[in-house]
Amino acid sequence: DVKVTQSSRYLVKRTGEKVFLECVQDMDHENMFWYRQDPGLGLRLIYFSYDVKMKEKGDIPEGYSVSREKKERFSLILESASTNQTSMYLCASCPGTLSYILPTYEQYFGPGTRLTVT
Amino acid sequence: AQSVTQLDSHVSVSEGTPVLLRCNYSSSYSPSLFWYVQHPNKGLQLLLKYTSAATLVKGINGFEAEFKKSETSFHLTKPSAHMSDAAEYFCVVSDGSSNTGKLIFGQGTTLQVKP
């Protein structure tokens, strides 16, 4: 079974703090994704990565950055947390080559990190 | 551009009665469509996917969905609801305009199952 793990289930941080959310997958997938989930909005893509040290902006990258130093690990960084970043954050991975991800590929999701910024 | 609309934010059924969760999509390309389920405090799990093979797709736990191109719909159904089906359901389309694997999510439908 594919397993995607996230470092924390719940996190409470103060405004202005630097926040790291970690995601690890064990299936040697090239592609990893970070989403945030808010009620009534579904999931929105923040950043994704095709390979180590590669990253692409998603739909809502403002206020976030990412790091992928190892294939299995994809980190989401909030440089200076703000209250509007209070949300559920979900990490996902899927197979696919560097140059092509089939639209039919399933993404495998972690359990999520519920971040509260006060 | 691709988009997904889930027509109901909340659906309530009684245990043993049929479930219908409605989804319409918009896509300029032959879409790949998915339904994911999220149980409370859990990650998303794939229920089923349509990938241009059979238009009636069967998934896990007795769910199925029918791809109707003429209606641009991909509704999720189950003949008989079980208490364990209570969860949030997401209709998802894959962005076929690029090779990014990007998924576009609907807003979600919360399914309540009453005893």
Side-chain angles (χ1 to χ4, degrees), chain A residues 9-10 33 35 37 40 42-43 45 48 50 59 90 99-101 103-107 109-111, chain B residues 32 34 36 38 41-44 46 49 51 88 90 94 96 99-103 105-108:
Chain A
R9 292 300 305 275
Y10 300 93
F33 305 81
Y35 297 88
Q37 180 182 7
L43 275 70
L45 182 64
F48 56 106
Y50 292 127
D59 297 319
L90 292 165
S99 59
Y100 192 71
I101 302 174
T104 57
Y105 282 155
E106 170 189 355
Q107 290 188 14
F109 285 84
Chain B
S32 292
F34 307 79
Y36 281 82
Q38 185 181 34
N41 300 315
K42 297 281 182 67
L44 274 73
L46 181 69
K49 66 179 180 181
T51 58
E88 188 158 22
F90 292 95
S94 183
N99 60 356
T100 63
K102 183 178 174 182
L103 298 181
F105 284 77
Q107 303 90 330

Side-chain angles (χ1 to χ4, degrees), chain A residues 33-39 41-47 60 62 64 76 78 82-91 113 115, chain B residues 105:
Chain A
F33 305 81
W34 274 107
Y35 297 88
R36 64 176 282 175
Q37 180 182 7
D38 300 289
L41 297 178
L43 275 70
R44 294 177 291 168
L45 182 64
I46 304 172
Y47 267 97
I60 52 165
E62 296 78 19
Y64 303 94
L76 180 69
L78 286 65
S82 64
T83 54
N84 63 11
Q85 292 177 310
T86 291
S87 187
M88 170 72 88
Y89 290 87
L90 292 165
C91 175
T113 295
L115 173 67
Chain B
F105 284 77

